[in-house]
Amino acid sequence: MTGYIENPKTRGSGIICCIPQAERCPMECEECFFQSGRSYLEPLGKNLPNMPTLEEVGHRVVRVNDGGDSGIRFHQVIRDTKKYPLKFYNTSIPQVLDEFPAPVVLTVNPGERTDKHFYRVETEENLKKLMFVRARVNTWNGPLVDKIVEWYSAKKIPIVLTFMAYYKQPIPELYQRNYIYRIRTSNPYWAITTETWDLIMRLYAHNKWVHSCGKIEGEEGTTLCRFCGNCLREFYATMERMKGD
């Protein structure tokens, strides 16, 4: 293992990332940047775990598992991140939500669920800890995204739309016009165009609970965290909600 390596996406944003686990994520979600062999932490065998010191963290909020899942090796993850005073966890495993000691981001349609199903969180205890839910979005799973938005808006939980970028998986021919081959943070992908992103976001323009991951997607925008602010805003809002626990 080498020294800490900063995620270029979160640089300068007030967020710093960590991954406590030492192995590739077993969830194997399609088109996850962490699974592609091209992430900023390759080779994983050399660079995991990737844990900043308290001095490196400084004033920043720690995002636990920018690659991987905080529900995997759960007790180790909680133990190894206990030292960070400000943190939130990423997971796609709703069964462990009530055990997290800090705010949680839940990906509700991970892996094979991307176009088909989503997790519905119902209990008040679990909803209280949700910073937001992350919906994986492409241009052919709109009906599912509508259901996600309807469900979590009714629960007063923010929904962050994360627009899928494709490297290995072919895009259906009917939807190829909605994507352009471009650099996204560090590597080239088939990623959504700004025009198509804008059309999708307009569908939810009057829903205060819906946000895009990244200020502007596509060739005219950026997904760098310093221009976004979703995580910091919702982290502190969730900390307020969790007061008294």
Side-chain angles (χ1 to χ4, degrees), residues 227-242:
F227 298 106
C228 177
N230 287 330
C231 289
L232 290 179
R233 181 189 65 242
E234 301 305 338
F235 171 78
Y236 285 107
T238 308
M239 291 291 283
E240 289 292 310
R241 198 164 61 243
M242 292 174 64

Side-chain angles (χ1 to χ4, degrees), residues 35-56:
Q35 304 284 358
S36 70
R38 303 190 302 162
S39 87
Y40 73 98
L41 287 174
E42 291 292 342
L44 299 183
K46 177 182 178 183
N47 295 321
L48 291 180
N50 190 42
M51 302 289 287
T53 65
L54 288 175
E55 290 73 22
E56 288 169 321

Side-chain angles (χ1 to χ4, degrees), residues 62-111:
V62 177
R63 177 187 181 190
V64 182
N65 273 301
D66 55 325
D69 193 302
S70 296
I72 303 297
R73 299 191 182 277
F74 176 80
H75 295 293
Q76 175 206 331
V77 169
I78 301 304
R79 182 193 69 220
D80 291 352
T81 57
K82 187 176 181 180
K83 62 185 177 183
Y84 301 129
L86 299 175
K87 57 184 173 284
F88 66 91
Y89 296 89
N90 285 335
T91 189
S92 61
I93 305 173
Q95 293 84 353
V96 296
L97 285 178
D98 63 336
E99 299 184 56
F100 282 105
V104 187
V105 173
L106 174 68
T107 300
V108 293
N109 59 331

